[in-house]
Every structure is written in structure tokens, then in C-alpha cells.
Amino acid sequence: MTREDVVRIALEVGFYDGEVDKCQLMLERFAYLVAQQEREACAKVADIAIDFWVKAGYPEGAEAREAINIAEAIRARGQP
């Protein structure tokens, strides 16, 4: 999420321009933490698929590998 996104969302929820300027660092940190939590929740869905394919006896199958790739890609979005 870009700084512009954070400012736009803050204004949409009712912050005034001056408030956004004063609180921008906190708002950016808040947005980062919310996005981090959402990414992890999404990655856990892929982890469930991994567990399913492993328990089904296909730990090296294309389906399990793809679920692993998806989970890794989601988690990597939070990296600088």
C-alpha cells in the first residue's frame, strides 16, 4: 500500500487533511499491520490446501507444490 493509498483511505474514513499530516506515520504503520494480518490469513488458506494434499498422499504433487508457491508468494508480498 502506498502513502497515497493511506492518505486517500484516511480521508475517506473522515480524517481531515491536517489530521492526516499529523498522523501519517501512525496511519501508515496501522495500514502495514492490517495488511500483514490479512496476508497471513490468506496464506493460511493455502496452508490448509497443502495439508490436504499431504494427507491425501501427494506431498510432492503439482497441487501441493502450487499451494506452497501460493502461500510463499502471499507472504513475500510483505517483504521489502
Side-chain angles (χ1 to χ4, degrees):
M1 184 175 297
T2 67
R3 287 178 181 226
E4 292 79 20
D5 291 334
V6 172
V7 170
R8 179 183 49 76
I9 292 168
L11 293 172
E12 283 180 24
V13 300
F15 280 87
Y16 298 101
D17 284 331
E19 291 174 320
V20 173
D21 291 341
K22 281 185 181 177
C23 302
Q24 187 159 356
L25 187 58
M26 285 190 298
L27 289 167
E28 288 174 14
R29 180 71 179 149
F30 179 79
Y32 171 81
L33 293 173
V34 169
Q36 184 179 35
Q37 291 291 313
E38 185 61 19
R39 279 191 303 275
E40 187 55 29
C42 291
K44 285 181 180 180
V45 173
D47 290 341
I48 292 168
I50 295 165
D51 290 344
F52 171 82
W53 290 109
V54 168
K55 287 177 185 171
Y58 301 100
E60 301 300 321
E63 295 88 352
R65 183 76 247 157
E66 193 58 31
I68 291 167
N69 291 341
I70 291 168
E72 289 173 353
I74 291 169
R75 288 185 174 106
R77 288 186 56 114
Q79 305 304 313

